[in-house]
């Protein structure tokens, strides 16, 4: 049987980048082994269902290009199937009916806390004095079932057993059964819990490897007992490391990410309850290929440790579970920006124009030939498409006269010209107006240097004054290329600098 993996998110909220990384690792593993990748929506917990969450999950995966071979399969359409297997586990002696009311359960918890038990559980000890099919006579159990009395089905966890499994990333992991509680498998409303539906679907769908976050490690012994109860062979397990804050001090939470200015979603999420909008990597101007590269390096260690940029095909070829570390992976946002910058610079001009045009429109800049070319100049230094659009908007709107006339403290106050500099700029403008046809970017740069040297000025300082005049910035794309593109507008702005100082 070939490799079969699944990504099985719950629509209880937006898809975190940790979930996208889990999907990516499953997808890479499947593609590396020419296997199957299934998308399964685990939506049986209706009390925690969040409107829009499922669409956010699907759109996130589509944007980064993680296509699935089967799905999306929704567990809410398979509830009768899970109920059948839950009752079969009871018949096999691996689960039991429990009729305890909420009041009785709360009384049990209070009694245990009063006795000094910090974490009360319904387990091998407490089940002995609760109302369930293990303690009630068979006739009483059947009477309660026939009368329609509410019940749940709980997993029967055996006493004094060691439950162990070999994790593909972490090695052998062991649990003592006395530390586990008898998890509910089927709720009183007839819906299965995560544990039952997860195992049933993994078996029926032929999943060979379960690759998921390390927070699911405590659930694994429960799942193994269900596999045992049904007489099924469990899949291989691999639990991925957490994604940590940039300083490595704990898991990267939504609150901390917002404080640090780090996106935790790949696409924007709008909270249906509060209306709060949180931009994702897409809205910040990252390329989907770059995001996959960024996420792949959060836990996976490629064979060539010196390389940090990988095409998707290269990741598929070299990916393996053995090269995933068990320690948490820090999300270095500065490095993420650098990776995206590398991808931006590798785009063809046509592809870049298509990518940047929506961002220009979003900031009120028409994506015409001039502004697209201006954006292309800025991509040599910028990290994101949004940063490029902001730079184009800023230079488009810049005018030194407006700043002075508005009464604001103008940046030009720190860019005064002495008599020699004024003379140099006037000479440059005279030459440019007279030689427009031959003023290529290189010629323009060379002429500025030549005029500066003739007047015993530092070329770099004169270039700084010119750059400030045309853009209001001290840094930017190559000055010669910027002057050549802006032409008449650049001449006008330099003339205004001379006039105002």
């Amino acid at each position: 049987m070939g490799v079969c993996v699944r990504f099985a998110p719950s629509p209880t909220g937006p898809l975190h980048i940790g979930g996208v990384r889990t999907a990516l690792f499953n997808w890479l593993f499947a593609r590396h082994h020419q296997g199957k990748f299934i998308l399964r929506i685990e939506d049986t917990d209706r009390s925690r269902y969040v409107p829009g969450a499922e669409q956010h999950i699907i759109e996130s995966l589509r944007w980064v290009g993680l296509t699935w071979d089967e799905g999306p399969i929704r567990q809410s359409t398979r509830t009768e199937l899970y109920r059948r297997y839950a009752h079969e586990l009871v018949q096999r002696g691996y689960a039991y009916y429990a009729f305890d009311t909420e009041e009785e359960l709360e009384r049990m918890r209070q009694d245990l806390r009063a006795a000094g038990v910090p974490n009360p559980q319904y387990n091998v000890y407490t089940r002995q004095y609760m109302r369930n099919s293990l303690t009630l006579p068979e006739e009483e159990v059947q009477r309660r079932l026939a009368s329609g009395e509410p019940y749940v089905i709980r997993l029967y966890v055996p006493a004094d057993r060691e439950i162990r499994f070999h994790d593909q990333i972490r090695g052998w992991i062991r649990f003592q059964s006395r530390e586990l509680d008898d998890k509910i498998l089927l709720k009183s409303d007839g819906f299965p819990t995560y544990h039952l539906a997860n195992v049933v679907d993994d078996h029926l769908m032929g999943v060979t490897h379960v690759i998921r976050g390390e927070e699911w490690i405590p659930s694994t012994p429960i799942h193994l007992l269900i596999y045992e109860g049904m007489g099924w062979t469990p899949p291989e397990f691999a639990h991925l490391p957490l994604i940590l804050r940039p300083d490595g001090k704990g898991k990267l939470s939504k609150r901390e990410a917002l404080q640090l200015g780090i996106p935790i979603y790949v696409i924007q999420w709008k909270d249906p309850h509060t209306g709060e909008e949180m931009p994702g990597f897409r809205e910040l101007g990252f390329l989907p290929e770059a995001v996959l590269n960024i996420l792949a390096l959060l836990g996976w260690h490629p064979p060539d440790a010196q390389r940090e940029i990988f095409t998707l095909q290269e990741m598929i070829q070299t990916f393996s579970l053995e090269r995933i570390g068990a320690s948490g992976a820090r999300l270095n946002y500065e490095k993420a920006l650098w990776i995206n910058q590398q991808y931006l610079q590798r785009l063809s001009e046509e592809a870049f124009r298509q990518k940047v045009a929506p961002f220009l429109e979003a900031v009120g800049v028409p994506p015409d030939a001039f502004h697209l070319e201006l954006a292309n100049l800025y991509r040599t230094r910028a990290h994101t498409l949004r940063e490029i659009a902001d730079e184009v908007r800023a230079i488009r709107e810049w005018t030194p006269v407006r700043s002075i006339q508005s009464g604001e403290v103008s940046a030009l106050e720190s860019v005064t010209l002495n008599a020699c500099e004024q003379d140099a700029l006037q000479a440059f403008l005279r030459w440019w107006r007279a030689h427009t046809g031959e003023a290529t970017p290189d010629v323009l740069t060379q002429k500025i240097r030549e005029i500066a040297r003739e007047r015993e000025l530092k070329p770099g300082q004169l270039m700084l004054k010119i750059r400030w005049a045309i853009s209001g910035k001290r840094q930017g794309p190559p000055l010669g290329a910027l002057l050549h593109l802006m032409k008449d507008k650049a001449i006008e702005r330099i003339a205004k600098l001379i006039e105002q100082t």
Side-chain angles (χ1 to χ4, degrees), residues 48 53 76 78 83 110 113 127 167 228 244 251 256 331 340 390 444:
R48 297 178 60 215
S76 58
R78 299 158 61 85
R83 282 195 285 269
Q110 291 177 357
R113 291 192 188 98
R127 70 190 180 204
D167 189 281
E228 179 183 312
L244 305 178
K251 182 179 179 181
E256 292 164 335
L331 177 57
N340 194 63
D390 287 340
L444 285 166

Side-chain angles (χ1 to χ4, degrees), residues 144-211:
R144 290 174 181 268
L145 293 175
S147 68
E149 182 176 334
Y151 67 87
V152 300
I153 293 181
R154 288 182 178 272
L155 177 69
Y156 179 84
V157 177
D160 299 322
R161 275 268 308 272
E162 180 182 80
I163 304 168
R164 64 175 188 165
F165 68 96
H166 186 267
D167 189 281
Q168 297 291 303
I169 295 172
R170 302 161 190 276
W172 285 101
I173 299 177
R174 294 171 170 82
F175 291 86
Q176 298 302 318
S177 62
R178 62 178 175 272
E179 300 171 352
L180 307 175
D181 57 334
D182 291 1
K183 294 291 187 185
I184 294 176
L185 302 181
L186 192 71
K187 295 178 285 187
S188 58
D189 61 5
F191 274 82
T193 61
Y194 160 79
H195 303 289
L196 176 65
N198 179 281
V199 171
V200 169
D201 281 344
D202 282 349
H203 172 73
L204 296 181
M205 294 175 187
V207 171
T208 59
H209 295 74
V210 171
I211 305 170

Side-chain angles (χ1 to χ4, degrees), residues 360-379:
L360 293 174
E361 291 179 322
V363 296
V365 176
D368 52 30
F370 170 74
H371 290 108
L372 287 172
E373 186 59 34
L374 192 56
N376 194 42
L377 285 182
Y378 272 100
R379 75 160 157 158

